[in-house]
Amino acid sequence: MTEVRGRRREDIEVRPAAAAPVGATIQAASRNTGATTTRRGRAPFPVDVAEGGGWSAWTLTAAQVDTLSSEDARKIIEIRPAGRGADRSRWELKARRTVGAVRLGTAEGAVQLRIAPKVTVDRLLYLLVYAPRWARWQPDPVDAAVRNELFPAIAHTFARAAEQALRRGPLSGYQGREDTSMMLRGRLRAAAQLRSRPGLALPLEISYDEHTPDIPENQLLLSAARRLTRLPEVQPQDRARLRRLDALLDGVTAPVLGAPVAAWTPSRLNAHYIPALRLAEIILKGASFEYVDGRPVRVDGLLLNMEKAFEEFLAKALGSALERQIGGRFQAQANTHFLDDRSEYPLLPDLVHKLSGEDGALHPAILVDAKYQDGVKRANLYQMLAYCTCFGLSEGHLVSVAGDEDGTGVRVPVPGGAIMLYRHVVDLSLPPQALTARIDELARTIAAARTTAPRPRTGTGT
């Protein structure tokens, strides 16, 4: 008698394979061949698109369409039927200006959406973590090339930067504490003592300063490390490094999910932390996004708004270059001027550079607005014209990431003279050193175009 794994064949009960429950399979359609593959379980349906890559066709279930049509999803991707008379399961998707990966929906409608950035990972990291006092730090080009996925590259770079920051041990600082004690330590909180124990000498309500590693800088590093550890795309060796960082930050308060990002101030004491802290802020801010009305939305993944990243990069890099070349002080999106006299409509150019006037005070002298797009649109010119009119300046500068209008200007006649609107291009695909040189060159060009004759201001502000 033939036996199968130690059991006789007649002892084995043969049952028909159970049918998969409705909706328990996910069909992944190939966009090129139309073939489908079926997988058990409720793993999210993978959707891979590229930033600025145009429309791509996908075969989606009704539940997946509902997920990608939700208010949350439409913040990061566009969806439409694949033409008239097309199969109702065929849809077209197009990424907006957000890159990264996020899980949307639940059960049969779960989708794992990945949006690849237009720029390479090493350029993206350089753009994101740029800081004037960190000019010599650059992401390792070899590691970035090997890790061509965004999350693994960010996780690897953060782990390396955090290890460098913590090489001498966690930074400590003084934090205020309030406690109840049987002996006096620090200061007596007299009001609290009388309110809680009138007429009793002990115990005491006290407040004191404690030297501890539980400070905002370490809380920020711990929050980012734990956030990255939960991402499935992180490489095992980098996940192990992140867990070692978690252990090294023993004694630091564990972050609360959804809590605001810990606030910190650059100083001489935490200068060696700054590279890691910049990355940590990006990681934690990428864990959520906002609606137009400011409502926060938590997401499962990491998202990076490329438009905001370019605006912040240009303001910091170009503002620092202008300070080195002509002095003064720059402000990024300074909320100081308004279009109307009731201060209902703020004017928020990405960079306002101020120089000393005849009265010795700092006044707006240069206006720059970043545009993460190909070329400068007509609406952008109208917007900059409004900025120049309200700030009382005779020229404004618009900087895009592509286009053939670099160095050209538009002259707008106005009563008493003209306002010049200059167009510039900063190519983000340049290597870091070439990109830094391009920013310095742009600062010289903008400084040379400045006129000293002020114009009458029509807006309100300081």
Side-chain angles (χ1 to χ4, degrees), residues 4 16 30 47 93 116 121 145 171 176 196 199 227 242-243 252 304 315 347 361 363 413 433 438:
V4 180
S30 168
V47 174
L93 302 176
V121 171
L171 187 68
S196 59
R227 173 67 189 170
L242 293 169
R243 286 172 177 160
V252 178
L304 299 173
L347 300 172
H363 299 281
Q433 291 184 348
R438 171 59 182 145

Side-chain angles (χ1 to χ4, degrees), residues 49-347:
V49 294
E51 177 203 5
W55 293 95
S56 59
W58 293 81
T59 298
L60 303 172
T61 66
Q64 292 160 0
V65 171
D66 290 341
T67 296
L68 294 173
S69 301
S70 65
E71 188 179 9
D72 291 8
R74 286 187 176 274
K75 283 287 294 182
I76 54 181
I77 196 167
E78 298 179 67
I79 182 172
R80 70 182 185 185
R84 293 183 178 179
D87 184 356
R88 291 187 178 182
S89 65
R90 297 289 289 172
W91 294 80
E92 291 183 334
L93 302 176
K94 181 180 178 181
R96 296 187 186 271
R97 294 179 179 178
T98 298
V99 301
V102 59
R103 177 170 176 162
L104 300 168
T106 58
E108 293 82 3
V111 173
Q112 180 72 34
L113 177 63
R114 291 188 292 264
I115 305 175
K118 289 189 294 186
V119 298
T120 58
V121 171
D122 58 337
R123 304 295 191 275
L124 179 62
L125 292 176
Y126 177 79
L127 183 151
L128 291 176
V129 303
Y130 183 87
R133 297 184 182 182
W134 192 29
R136 289 183 294 179
W137 185 91
Q138 293 180 3
D140 188 333
V142 176
D143 290 337
V146 172
R147 295 163 174 80
N148 53 9
E149 290 284 345
L150 179 60
F151 290 163
I154 290 179
H156 175 78
T157 306
F158 171 77
R160 185 162 58 92
E163 287 174 344
Q164 184 71 16
L166 297 170
R167 186 176 56 179
R168 294 177 286 177
L171 187 68
S172 295
Y174 286 97
Q175 294 290 305
R177 299 282 190 264
E178 293 183 352
D179 199 0
T180 301
S181 174
M182 297 301 293
M183 65 173 55
L184 182 62
R185 178 185 179 187
R187 297 171 297 277
L188 176 67
R189 296 190 293 137
Q193 182 74 21
L194 292 174
R195 183 172 57 252
S196 59
R197 297 178 183 84
L200 296 179
L202 294 175
L204 300 174
E205 297 294 329
I206 61 173
S207 62
Y208 58 93
D209 293 329
E210 181 180 26
H211 196 250
T212 174
D214 193 16
I215 58 177
E217 289 89 339
N218 291 328
Q219 293 170 2
L220 194 58
L221 295 185
L222 181 60
S223 299
R226 293 189 175 181
R227 173 67 189 170
L228 289 173
T229 302
R230 293 193 295 267
L231 296 179
E233 294 89 352
V234 175
Q235 299 293 327
Q237 60 271 27
D238 291 327
R239 194 184 309 278
R241 298 170 71 184
L242 293 169
R243 286 172 177 160
R244 287 196 295 270
L245 292 173
D246 194 325
L248 189 59
L249 292 170
D250 184 36
V252 178
T253 302
V256 178
L257 183 63
V261 176
W264 62 282
T265 303
S267 68
R268 177 182 57 84
L269 296 177
N270 63 16
H272 62 292
Y273 263 54
I274 290 180
L277 291 174
R278 298 290 188 195
L279 270 173
E281 288 183 321
I282 293 166
I283 292 163
L284 295 175
K285 290 178 180 177
S288 64
F289 57 88
E290 292 183 350
Y291 291 118
V292 176
D293 59 7
R295 287 179 292 141
V297 180
R298 297 295 301 175
V299 296
D300 183 9
L302 184 67
L303 298 174
L304 299 173
N305 188 314
M306 291 299 296
E307 186 174 23
K308 295 296 183 183
F310 178 61
E311 291 173 358
E312 293 182 8
F313 163 77
L314 186 69
K316 291 179 181 178
L318 185 57
S320 300
L322 287 170
E323 285 185 351
R324 292 194 302 269
Q325 296 181 18
I326 61 176
R329 180 168 56 88
F330 79 89
Q331 287 183 291
Q333 292 195 341
N335 191 9
T336 58
H337 286 66
F338 298 86
L339 183 65
D340 61 315
D341 56 2
R342 299 180 61 182
S343 300
E344 293 182 355
Y345 303 99
L347 300 172

